[in-house]
Amino acid sequence: MSATALSLGVADPAPLLATGGAVDGLRTAIGVLVEGLGKAAVYFTIAVGLTLVFGLMGVLNFAHGAVTMVGAYLGGLVLVLVVGSGTGTLATIGVFFAAMAIVFAVTTAAGSVIELKLIRPIYDRTPTYQILLTFGVSLIIEEIARIVLTLRGIQPDPQWQAPMGTTPDVLLGRTDFLGIAVRRLYLFEVLIGGVVLVAVWLFLTRTLYGLYIRAGSEDTEMVQALGIDVRRAFTVVFGVGTGLAAVGGVLLMWDPIWGPSVLLSVDVLLYAFVVVIIGGLGSFRGTVVAAGIVGIADSVTTWLFTTGAVTFSGLSEVTIFLLLVGMLIVRPQGLYGVEEVGGH
Amino acid sequence: MLELDGVHTYYGESHILQGLDLSVEDDEIVALVGRNGVGKTTTLRTALGLTPPRRGTVRFKGEDVTDLEPHEIAARGMGWVPEDRRVFAHLTVAENLRVAAHAAADPDARLGEAYDLFPALERFADKEAGDLSGGQQQMLAIARGMLGDNDLLLVDEPSEGLAPQIVSDVVEALRAASADTTMVLVEQNFRLAMDLADRFYLVDHGVVVEEGDTEGVTSDDERVRRYLTA
């Protein structure tokens, strides 16, 4: 995420700091917190698939960001094709959810095929092979995206503006929330992030595969010894993880800070890694908490910059990566890192 | 029930089992005894396919399972109670048991049977397994190993790290488990192993050096003493 993009997406401090006093200070704090939750929802959505895949399979998927980028473009494509100038707000939001479902289905299937055909043959090799393979897949996806976009007359960078043009009016601008001006898109992102969080939590806690995943995240060998075909679970989880990465892309499609661009691949991957490392690789709970920490840190530092308290435009990124470095020094396994027992 | 025939198993280049043979008949308890590092745990891992042999054959209920995956062997009725228990620490007791009962037609009924056998586990059903004491975790590991409708249970060092009064509870649990399950027991505590088992195999340097009935065998027995002392 560039500094320019960063400064475009920050809160306008004026409505938050119109008057002085404790009440306004509290409103400002709540406003920053709400924006932080919006960012946290985005960070959670882009990171949760990565942590599920690592938790069960021990695979660090470097193609995760590329899938998010593909999700943003595919979601954008659906919106651009279906939504016209006469499309109402509710219909547009309906198309958005339909796009999310379609993109999830397509990328989950693609992810399952990638696991079966590319990753499964190298499970018995060192993790370096998996990293190199997924990094290679990431580069291939990015180059294919560049070629396709160029052939369609769309600039790969910066963001593709057409999908952002489909954003319904109800999500543009700010809304008064208990006397606090809050960007509506952030509230929408909090809502979607919450839906994804609940859906993944239900999957993990209410389904048999979820139980296998949680058990396998602790001890894959023991799960096999109990008669469970853990490789089938790997395929399901890699598919779902890929689908969640793409859903994150659809969520980012309307967000002017992110938006569909080929560079989204790397931007997303960096933030996803920061969140899962701070939370503890493989920990769902850790991903939720770390996304909250990173989102609020991002929101606070962005507010400090926009109010002029700090003039360094890269403050937000520096702070987030300092959080990462601090965690690696103080608690390398992350907040809720699971001790590996049976290997992967 | 279980036959290992001329089995050679390696960890990397380390040659652990060097042509080990053993057979376990239906409804008996067989103890594997020997010093640390002679290949007892590796024998169990080889039987279950977790560390497959490079040479030799593993037969389970008459079927050659040498080249099968661990989950395929386990699904045929071989259970495992590993060293250090290896319960899923962040799952509740009930969830630990539910993973093991995944293939049962009525998992809830199977959990009920486990609770009947180990009433203490029902009290902690909603507690995370990592919060249980060592003895409770061992009970859970044994119950988990029994839940898969297993015909054979491989039990590795069940008394390790437990207080003596807890060990007697574990022994009772194993006796209860052996009522309808054949068992292979790896145990450092020689007297405990001889008390529980019908027959024993003494393993040294990856091969069986002595075998026989456990009746009347003590650690002072000349046949075993030289293999048990360092």
Side-chain angles (χ1 to χ4, degrees), chain A residues 64-324:
Chain A
H64 188 84
V67 176
T68 301
M69 178 266 291
V70 170
Y73 275 110
L74 287 180
L77 181 66
V78 172
L79 266 292
V80 168
L81 288 176
V82 177
V83 174
S85 56
T87 311
T89 297
L90 275 180
T92 303
I93 291 176
V95 173
F96 174 86
F97 282 112
M100 219 169 220
I102 292 167
V103 168
F104 180 75
V106 169
T107 51
T108 296
S112 300
V113 172
I114 288 173
E115 193 280 335
L116 278 170
K117 299 296 178 190
L118 296 180
I119 299 177
R120 182 168 290 196
I122 60 167
Y123 277 132
D124 295 334
R125 301 196 183 185
T126 62
T128 310
Y129 283 84
Q130 295 156 9
I131 290 171
L132 288 173
L133 175 78
T134 55
F135 185 62
V137 169
S138 173
L139 293 178
I140 291 168
I141 291 173
E142 284 178 27
E143 288 313 306
I144 290 175
R146 282 182 197 281
I147 292 166
V148 171
L149 291 168
T150 305
L151 288 174
R152 301 297 300 173
I154 299 167
Q155 287 294 317
D157 313 305
Q159 297 143 331
W160 185 28
Q161 296 295 321
M164 292 187 206
T166 66
T167 310
D169 290 342
V170 72
L171 298 182
L172 296 172
R174 296 173 184 277
T175 192
D176 187 75
F177 180 70
L178 301 174
I180 303 157
V182 178
R183 275 182 61 191
R184 292 175 189 149
L185 188 61
Y186 278 143
L187 292 177
F188 184 69
E189 288 172 351
V190 170
L191 173 73
I192 300 296
V195 168
V196 172
L197 190 154
V198 170
V200 174
W201 181 78
L202 287 174
F203 172 68
L204 288 174
T205 59
R206 297 286 186 272
T207 69
L208 206 50
Y209 264 103
L211 186 61
Y212 297 166
I213 291 166
R214 288 188 295 135
S217 297
E218 292 193 38
D219 192 339
T220 311
E221 187 178 77
M222 193 65 233
V223 169
Q224 291 182 82
L226 291 170
I228 293 161
D229 183 357
V230 78
R231 296 223 165 169
R232 188 182 297 172
F234 282 5
T235 307
V236 171
V237 166
F238 198 84
V240 170
T242 305
L244 286 171
V247 162
V250 180
L251 178 61
L252 298 178
M253 172 190 65
W254 279 342
D255 193 326
I257 301 176
W258 304 86
S261 82
V262 173
L263 289 180
L264 189 63
S265 172
V266 176
D267 288 342
V268 161
L269 188 65
L270 283 175
Y271 281 87
F273 272 135
V274 169
V275 169
V276 297
I277 291 170
I278 290 176
L281 281 163
S283 167
F284 175 72
R285 182 169 47 174
T287 302
V288 175
V289 174
I293 291 171
V294 173
I296 290 170
D298 188 356
S299 178
V300 170
T301 50
T302 300
W303 177 78
L304 287 173
F305 173 68
T306 52
T307 55
V310 177
T311 56
F312 174 46
S313 66
L315 176 67
S316 178
E317 281 118 328
V318 168
T319 304
I320 288 168
F321 285 101
L322 280 177
L323 279 174
L324 171 69

Side-chain angles (χ1 to χ4, degrees), chain B residues 159-177:
Chain B
S159 71
E160 189 182 39
L162 299 181
Q165 66 271 27
I166 305 296
V167 171
S168 64
D169 291 342
V170 170
V171 168
E172 285 313 306
L174 289 173
R175 282 194 207 284

